[in-house]
Amino acid sequence: MYALGIDIGGTKIALAIVTTQGTVIGQDKLATDQMIEPKEMIDTIATRAKHLLLAHNIKEDELYGIGIGAPGPLDSERGMITYPPNLPRWRNVPIVKLMATHFSVPIRLENDASAAAVAEHTFGASKDYNDSLYVTISTGIGAGIISGNTLISGSKGNAGDIGHMVIDPSFGECVCGQYGCFEHICSGTAISREVSKLKGINISTEEAFRLYETHDADIVPYLDTVIERMGMAFVSLINTLDPEIIVVGGGVSQAGDRLFKPIRQYVKRFTLNKEAGDTPIVLAKLNQEAGVIGAAALSFPLK
């Protein structure tokens, strides 16, 4: 038996057929067309999904179900994508209902970070833990929470929207209207934006960390502060959720120990429960496939 995962993003959509062991046996990607109506885009996704199943000789009755990971805000109970900032035309879109016109198997919608958390818990870096937190630091920042081997989704599926937890108001106004949000300070978008201002040219987050390693006089104090603010956020998350492990994914996580070492040091110093100061903070194992594998794994029972 298999499951079909669909990971919806602002620029691309990934599809994958996944086994119960987490093996991807077939996948496809297509661009997210922001110029067409969501229903038309969903019809295209369904058509591509059917072609993918056909290409691998898998019948619909061989699927446990279809899992969809999508950016929030959403309403997983009603199967609706409600108001995602990076999908401006997708407002109160009943994606589960629309997909159900093409498929007869169970279909489940969850926040994309929650789906990635399920992937890492089931097949990845946190598979040997009962209580884990997955944090993605990329274009935006989000989290997925596993407690007692159960995904904590919240009343509408938006639990884990940590990107808009206020860390330091002195960093200015976030797109959400608050001042000093975690995402506004520490996301890849934020780092690239601020470093580009400092240097007067467009600089990617990856390039910013390379400059950091060369002890660039402009970049070092800025990124030292940003990484400290990340540490503050992780301390708050550990104090609040008490996870056994934190798994970090997303593009910014690829900075590796340049990022992880000072965060671990900060956490060890400031968590209220001193034993929690040793909470493992590790790189995601499944990387860019976590979202689509996790979407598929939504159809599998958690261990």
Side-chain angles (χ1 to χ4, degrees):
M1 295 287 286
Y2 311 92
L4 179 68
I6 301 170
D7 184 27
I8 297 175
T11 58
K12 67 179 184 300
I13 296 163
L15 301 90
I17 303 166
V18 181
T19 71
T20 52
Q21 289 74 43
T23 303
V24 175
I25 64 166
Q27 56 188 319
D28 190 13
K29 289 183 181 178
L30 62 153
T32 306
D33 191 337
Q34 298 271 20
M35 302 305 294
I36 64 175
E37 290 300 313
K39 183 183 183 304
E40 189 178 344
M41 190 73 239
I42 291 165
D43 287 343
T44 300
I45 293 167
T47 299
R48 294 285 281 267
K50 286 180 178 289
H51 288 164
L52 183 62
L53 293 169
L54 185 63
H56 291 273
N57 297 312
I58 293 172
K59 297 180 176 63
E60 190 177 335
D61 61 12
E62 294 179 85
L63 296 176
Y64 276 108
I66 297 170
I68 303 169
L74 47 74
D75 187 333
S76 57
E77 188 70 23
R78 294 192 295 158
M80 295 182 70
I81 295 174
T82 58
Y83 209 86
N86 61 348
L87 291 170
R89 298 185 74 146
W90 294 55
R91 298 292 177 259
N92 296 315
V93 177
I95 187 168
V96 169
K97 183 178 179 180
L98 292 171
M99 285 293 291
T101 65
H102 299 276
F103 296 94
S104 58
V105 296
I107 301 169
R108 179 177 173 183
L109 171 69
E110 288 287 354
N111 180 277
D112 48 8
S114 292
V118 170
E120 291 291 339
H121 176 76
T122 309
F123 308 115
S126 54
K127 67 179 181 179
D128 295 323
Y129 297 85
N130 298 322
D131 296 86
S132 61
L133 180 67
Y134 173 86
V135 177
T136 178
I137 306 177
S138 188
T139 304
I141 294 178
I145 306 161
I146 305 289
S147 180
N149 293 318
T150 301
L151 176 66
I152 305 301
S153 298
S155 62
K156 295 184 181 299
N158 295 305
D161 197 354
I162 62 170
H164 297 282
M165 174 172 66
V166 173
I167 302 298
D168 185 343
S170 72
F171 274 78
E173 187 176 4
C174 177
V175 292
C176 76
Q178 293 195 104
Y179 283 75
C181 289
F182 187 16
E183 182 172 297
H184 180 69
I185 300 168
C186 299
S187 67
T189 304
I191 292 170
S192 175
R193 179 189 69 231
E194 296 304 319
V195 169
S196 296
K197 287 180 186 176
L198 285 170
K199 304 305 288 185
I201 57 171
N202 288 331
I203 295 177
S204 69
T205 305
E206 185 180 0
E207 290 168 332
F209 275 100
R210 281 200 293 266
L211 289 169
Y212 184 60
E213 277 201 323
T214 66
H215 307 288
D216 182 282
D218 297 317
I219 304 303
V220 169
Y222 163 71
L223 274 180
D224 279 346
T225 302
V226 167
I227 293 169
E228 183 182 68
R229 298 305 181 270
M230 288 186 191
M232 291 178 182
F234 276 61
V235 166
S236 293
L237 292 168
I238 291 170
N239 287 345
T240 303
L241 297 169
D242 195 25
E244 294 176 279
I245 186 172
I246 297 178
V247 179
V248 186
V252 177
S253 71
Q254 300 306 305
D257 276 346
R258 292 170 289 179
L259 186 70
F260 284 77
K261 187 176 178 181
I263 289 175
R264 291 177 186 131
Q265 290 171 340
Y266 191 95
V267 164
K268 188 168 183 65
R269 183 179 176 191
F270 289 109
T271 50
L272 287 176
N273 175 2
K274 292 308 171 187
E275 289 184 4
D278 294 319
T279 301
I281 300 172
V282 303
L283 183 66
K285 184 177 179 181
L286 301 175
N287 292 323
Q288 302 306 312
E289 289 192 322
V292 73
I293 292 174
L298 293 170
S299 297
F300 303 142
L302 284 179
K303 64 180 182 181

